[in-house]
Amino acid sequence: MHLYRNAQCVNYTKGLTSGSLCYPLCTDEIVYTECLGHGVKPHVLKANWKGTDVILKVKRQLHDKRVMWHLTDLQPHMMDREYFNINVNLSFINNILNKDLRVAQSVFDYLYAECAGDDGKLTYHEIWYCYTLFESDEFLLSVLLRDYQCVPKLYGVCGNVFVVEYIPVEQLEALPRLIVDERSWAIKAKLGLALLDLVKRLDETPYGTLYLCDIQFTNFGAYKSETSDGYVVKPIDVDIAWLSAQMKEVMNGGAKVNCTLDADCHFVSCLGRCDHKRQKCYPHSYSNNLINICRLIFSTPYSVPKFGLFDSAPPTLQPRLAVLIKKCAMPSVTPWPRTSHIMIEQFRHLLHESIRQNIE
């Protein structure tokens, strides 16, 4: 990271690259502490910024050959907002975001301000870095949903580095293995309530539902709420997450797949179905975020590893909770099922009741 940061900061001091977080990154306000992952995905680094832990994600490669060709043909007078708007906003962001002009404009406005810096002009390096970030669906979601609690908060950019809030995963990951006493059950119940709140937020973005298709304990983090005695839960990895329009494109692509079993049509956690007569997948999803969280987080039979968040519930709660989880975890028989808000309220009632009983 130090070698990469040095090269980035040399460009920054020369005025070749911009971003709201270049100054703190290049003056050691942001201090690298730990490497959390590297490889094909963006490098993931943990850092500390004025006493607060943050996550740095470094998008290092540019894959689109058409973009590389455009960049080799750039001339200095072309590097203004008009050029950027025509060649990036219309021909590139729209393709990624399913030609939704409203969505693309929101991303474009944020990123132009970050990439161009104070002078409003773009250098070759700045356009290159912007393009590399555009290729990351995770980054685009971070920009688009930056005002909602659906994904980790986006703090800013420096070149092809973007910085988001750090959300501890240990709280949620370790809980299912705990021997349950009154205190640990109250924590589990509050985390369950926070997951239900997350499902609601995922359903209510202005751009449609955000579908999480890689549901597992290690892909969620939790922290104490500042406004209640509960928790806030967020996904920490949204590499395999799509808004409604994108999700339909993903499942349409799956319709070309040959199948003999429904499992052949699943897209990681998101459930598909096989048309056994045609031996092709239907172009639909048969699960939603609530179904998938019930299957893979709340319940034991489906969860990986084989621990459910609600294992070893208080004896008075176990029978009713088991029935509700089983009902909730069943794949839908109709395509694109809506979230059952009645079922969410039933969960909330049981969990609040169990917390009150523990207090009493």
Side-chain angles (χ1 to χ4, degrees):
M1 176 61 189
H2 295 295
L3 291 175
Y4 171 78
R5 192 199 68 168
N6 289 342
Q8 186 84 293
C9 291
V10 167
N11 285 333
Y12 171 61
T13 56
K14 291 180 178 179
L16 299 176
T17 188
S18 299
S20 59
L21 292 188
C22 286
Y23 180 81
L25 187 67
C26 296
T27 56
D28 291 329
E29 283 185 18
I30 297 177
V31 181
Y32 160 77
T33 58
E34 184 180 357
C35 177
L36 300 179
H38 59 85
V40 177
K41 292 183 178 183
H43 289 199
V44 181
L45 308 158
K46 187 178 178 182
N48 190 273
W49 185 16
K50 295 182 178 179
T52 300
D53 288 331
V54 296
I55 295 294
L56 279 62
K57 298 198 173 186
V58 185
K59 180 72 166 58
R60 301 202 60 180
Q61 293 179 322
L62 183 62
H63 298 292
D64 193 312
K65 299 277 193 302
R66 296 168 301 162
V67 173
M68 294 180 186
W69 182 83
H70 280 304
L71 290 177
T72 59
D73 196 43
L74 285 175
Q75 300 297 323
H77 69 276
M78 300 169 70
M79 300 181 193
D80 56 16
R81 185 181 178 94
E82 182 180 0
Y83 174 86
F84 192 72
N85 185 43
I86 293 171
N87 287 275
V88 179
N89 186 29
L90 297 182
S91 69
F92 196 76
I93 301 180
N94 287 348
N95 290 335
I96 292 177
L97 298 174
N98 206 46
K99 303 190 186 306
D100 187 327
L101 291 174
R102 180 177 54 120
V103 171
Q105 192 65 46
S106 173
V107 174
F108 170 78
D109 290 342
Y110 175 88
L111 267 171
Y112 188 84
E114 284 280 1
C115 291
D118 294 334
D119 60 5
K121 298 289 185 181
L122 289 153
T123 67
Y124 175 93
H125 289 85
E126 286 167 342
I127 293 182
W128 179 278
Y129 290 142
C130 270
Y131 269 116
T132 61
L133 292 175
F134 288 146
E135 289 191 329
S136 167
D137 284 350
E138 180 176 19
F139 175 71
L140 293 178
L141 285 173
S142 295
V143 174
L144 194 62
L145 300 174
R146 62 191 181 278
D147 296 325
Y148 306 91
Q149 287 195 322
C150 298
V151 295
K153 181 180 178 180
L154 177 64
Y155 292 123
V157 168
C158 179
N160 59 334
V161 178
F162 62 103
V163 181
V164 299
E165 69 176 321
Y166 169 72
I167 305 175
V169 300
E170 295 83 2
Q171 183 82 270
L172 198 62
E173 184 183 6
L175 268 176
R177 299 170 178 79
L178 293 178
I179 298 173
V180 175
D181 56 21
E182 290 182 359
R183 177 180 172 277
S184 64
W185 171 255
I187 295 173
K188 284 187 174 188
K190 290 176 182 179
L191 284 169
L193 289 167
L195 279 163
L196 296 171
D197 290 340
L198 174 63
V199 168
K200 184 177 180 182
R201 295 198 300 274
L202 294 171
D203 274 354
E204 294 179 352
T205 85
Y207 312 105
T209 297
L210 177 64
Y211 288 86
L212 305 181
C213 287
D214 191 9
I215 302 284
Q216 51 184 306
F217 280 105
T218 53
N219 279 347
F220 291 96
Y223 57 87
K224 290 285 290 182
S225 171
E226 296 179 355
T227 58
S228 71
D229 64 348
Y231 291 88
V232 175
V233 171
K234 294 182 184 179
I236 61 168
D237 186 345
V238 288
D239 281 344
I240 308 179
W242 293 278
L243 293 167
S244 299
Q246 292 172 292
M247 186 64 188
K248 289 179 180 177
E249 290 294 315
V250 169
M251 300 311 288
N252 275 329
K256 301 172 184 176
V257 175
N258 295 327
C259 63
T260 55
L261 302 169
D262 285 346
D264 297 331
C265 302
H266 298 343
F267 196 88
V268 195
S269 304
C270 292
L271 302 182
R273 288 188 122 187
C274 180
D275 181 341
H276 298 288
K277 290 182 180 178
R278 296 188 307 115
Q279 293 191 326
K280 293 285 185 181
C281 296
Y282 288 110
H284 310 298
S285 174
Y286 289 85
S287 64
N288 54 36
N289 291 313
L290 180 61
I291 292 172
N292 290 333
I293 285 174
C294 284
R295 290 173 52 241
L296 300 168
I297 300 294
F298 288 172
S299 62
T300 299
Y302 304 99
S303 60
V304 180
K306 295 295 183 182
F307 297 95
L309 182 64
F310 294 153
D311 282 3
S312 304
T316 56
L317 183 65
Q318 282 179 4
R320 288 178 293 166
L321 192 56
V323 169
L324 191 55
I325 289 173
K326 184 176 180 180
K327 182 179 178 182
C328 173
M330 291 293 291
S332 173
V333 296
T334 57
W336 304 108
R338 296 188 175 213
T339 299
S340 171
H341 294 287
I342 293 176
M343 193 168 292
I344 286 179
E345 288 307 310
Q346 289 173 333
F347 271 118
R348 291 179 63 83
H349 175 76
L350 286 179
L351 294 173
H352 279 302
E353 178 185 325
S354 69
I355 293 170
R356 286 196 299 270
Q357 287 177 350
N358 276 338
I359 294 174
E360 294 168 359

